[in-house]
Amino acid sequence: MKRDQLKELGLEESVINQIMDLNGADIEKAKSSSAEMQEENEALKAQLKERDKDLKKLRKNAKDNEELSNSYKELQAKYEKDTADLSTKLSQTRLNSALDGELSKAGVRNAKAIKGLLDMNEIKLDEEGNLTGLDSQIKSIKQSDSYLFNEGQKQDYQPSNGKPAETDPVQQMVNVFKGE
């Protein structure tokens, strides 16, 4: 969807901006969910390859029953650790994806710069996928460093096409009294 297409439909600029903001939020959500799925898929593939390799090794070590039980215990501990690591990594990916979406909604110009200013220990992702502890930090950053946020649209430059620049009537009176 492009702005020009919406203008051709006769929509006002404010409506076009709202539509583009909603579209941008949807695109960010789709990107984050795709990234989560891809990362999870790659992690699971790596885990399966590692388990296949371990099973082959276990077959070789199956000569003695005591060796087999020790190998089994080692593998079980390793798999539990791998599962916990994967779970932590996936929850971090979900947190980052949700954070990117919320920062996009807040009109952040540079998400990496804002993330450096955030206290990530206070930001948590609840069961429904909502972030807690972010809104207050965003408000304080907006107050201290407002230049990091988009604060509306810039007005297009409109040259006077060779005509003298229009002066402010109040400034003209000031200039008259100064004798300029």
Side-chain angles (χ1 to χ4, degrees), residues 18 23 34 62 65 86 112-113 115 121 131 147 160 180:
Q18 291 174 348
N23 188 37
S34 173
N65 197 15
L86 179 62
K112 287 182 183 178
K115 284 181 181 178
N121 293 329
L131 289 173
Y147 61 91
S160 59
E180 294 179 3

Side-chain angles (χ1 to χ4, degrees), residues 26-91:
D26 289 343
I27 289 171
E28 287 299 320
K29 184 183 273 186
K31 283 182 185 177
S32 67
S33 114
S34 173
E36 286 178 27
M37 293 298 230
Q38 187 176 7
E39 187 172 329
E40 184 177 4
N41 188 20
E42 289 174 11
L44 291 174
K45 284 181 181 178
Q47 221 177 27
L48 283 175
K49 284 182 183 179
E50 187 68 27
R51 288 185 182 183
D52 288 343
K53 194 183 334 175
D54 291 341
L55 286 175
K56 286 180 183 178
K57 181 180 175 184
L58 185 61
R59 284 184 192 145
K60 287 181 182 178
N61 293 338
K63 297 174 186 172
D64 190 0
N65 197 15
E66 186 176 329
E67 264 184 53
L68 181 63
S69 64
N70 288 338
S71 294
Y72 176 76
K73 289 176 185 175
E74 289 173 9
L75 287 176
Q76 186 176 14
K78 179 181 176 188
Y79 291 153
E80 287 173 0
K81 181 186 176 298
D82 288 348
T83 303
D85 290 346
L86 179 62
S87 174
T88 303
K89 189 174 183 180
L90 287 175
S91 65

